[in-house]
Amino acid sequence: MSPRSDYAPVLFAVAMLLVSMVSYQCGAALAKQLFPLIGAQGATACRLGLGALILLLVRRPWRSPRRVRDVRALWGYGLSIGAMNLVFYMSLRTIPLGIAVALEFTGPLALALFGSRRWLDFAWIALVLAGLALLLPLRAQAQALDPVGMMYALAAGVGWALYIVLGQRAGAAHGADTVTLGTCIAALLAIPFGVVHAGSALFAPALLPLALGVAVLSSALPYSLEMLALTRLPTRTFGTLLSLEPAIAAVAGVGFLGEQLSALQWLAIAAIIVAAAGTALSVRQPVAEPPPN
């Protein structure tokens, strides 16, 4: 087999992951355009509600035999998706998309570094803290960030960490239907908030094309492409590429929403990206074990 054919599956997986991240952030930028009409709560309800419907139609999980297996992990996973998306969209009301994603990224990053005792990992922690310090609204500047929006983004990071932990347990019990079932549970959490905030405006037919675009770009398409990449890439490579997401989000915010970031804010995003990539590259690989039969 030629070297080119060896690299082809890896390059395909990398391309799928990059398209997934671009799709997700474009969906977030599109969702922000719904905020003046139905608010962040309504946009979250549309995204998760329509996303769940699309996944149900595609996956049709009712065809699979169902047993009661770790239901608490599944509900925890679904509720973490709902809460994470709700507070993330709440953060987008007052802070730029790229900064919100960078702050949200601290959740999985902290999870990766939790319990570490190596000096290199402490260096990554220091770099993250330096990035956060650059984002804190401590200086008298025109582009000082809203502290409430920052707290919402950090809360989304906590939800992301819970999503990872509970998703592993739920995925082991429910397999390929985990994302579909979890998204349905997330929709049950988000839709009441959207209805209370937006009322009947949430069901206006004129919003349907935009809401469907958000659901496809932010849920159905990126989840599917990410799963393709995850099954074809080493964990280290996957984590390193995923660290590009704050930069992609920042570019999407500039390109689609006209958001402007200061030099210090770009530097803060870069610091968090480098810390995330460094963590992924320096993680200790487990001892190889024979695959399960």
Side-chain angles (χ1 to χ4, degrees):
M1 185 177 293
S2 67
R4 180 174 297 180
S5 61
D6 287 340
Y7 282 112
V10 174
L11 293 176
F12 174 77
V14 169
M16 291 300 98
L17 183 57
L18 291 175
V19 171
S20 169
M21 290 189 288
V22 171
S23 173
Y24 189 90
Q25 300 309 329
C26 289
L30 192 63
K32 197 166 181 176
Q33 298 179 32
L34 285 171
F35 289 4
L37 304 173
I38 54 176
Q41 300 93 324
T44 308
C46 284
R47 175 199 163 174
L48 291 175
L50 291 173
L53 183 60
I54 292 170
L55 289 170
L56 282 172
L57 293 175
V58 171
R59 292 290 313 172
R60 290 179 284 179
W62 55 83
R63 297 181 304 171
S64 304
R66 193 78 40 205
R67 298 195 305 270
V68 179
R69 298 172 296 183
D70 208 351
V71 175
R72 287 185 299 178
L74 179 63
W75 275 89
Y77 167 72
L79 292 175
S80 68
I81 293 176
M84 173 180 65
N85 282 276
L86 182 60
V87 294
F88 178 69
Y89 277 15
M90 296 288 280
S91 76
L92 292 184
R93 297 179 303 175
T94 55
I95 64 175
L97 177 59
I99 292 175
V101 173
L103 290 172
E104 185 188 29
F105 218 84
T106 59
L109 188 54
L111 185 65
L113 294 171
F114 180 74
S116 176
R117 296 294 182 269
R118 294 183 301 163
W119 70 267
L120 184 59
D121 291 329
F122 286 108
W124 302 134
I125 293 172
L127 192 56
V128 172
L129 293 176
L132 292 177
L134 291 174
L135 294 176
L136 290 175
L138 301 177
R139 302 169 301 278
Q141 57 174 326
Q143 289 183 293
L145 296 176
D146 172 42
V148 176
M150 293 181 66
M151 292 303 297
Y152 275 128
L154 291 171
V158 175
W160 195 350
L162 291 173
Y163 160 85
I164 293 171
V165 173
L166 295 171
Q168 290 174 339
R169 290 176 52 190
H174 299 275
D177 291 329
T178 303
V179 171
T180 301
L181 298 173
T183 304
C184 291
I185 294 171
L188 293 177
L189 174 68
I191 288 174
F193 284 95
V195 171
V196 168
H197 179 80
S200 59
L202 192 65
F203 305 101
L207 292 180
L208 187 58
L210 190 58
L212 276 174
V214 172
V216 172
L217 289 174
S218 295
S219 294
L221 181 61
Y223 287 161
S224 302
L225 295 178
E226 191 173 291
M227 187 57 64
L228 285 173
L230 188 58
T231 57
R232 290 167 171 80
L233 288 175
T235 302
R236 177 178 293 187
T237 304
F238 186 89
T240 305
L241 289 170
L242 202 63
S243 66
L244 295 172
E245 194 146 20
I248 294 173
V251 172
V254 171
F256 293 102
L257 301 172
E259 296 174 342
Q260 299 298 321
L261 303 179
S262 68
L264 283 178
Q265 290 169 346
W266 279 108
L267 184 60
I269 292 174
I272 293 173
I273 289 172
V274 171
T279 302
L281 290 171
S282 62
V283 68
R284 290 183 175 178
Q285 299 298 306
V287 177
E289 296 181 357
N293 293 326

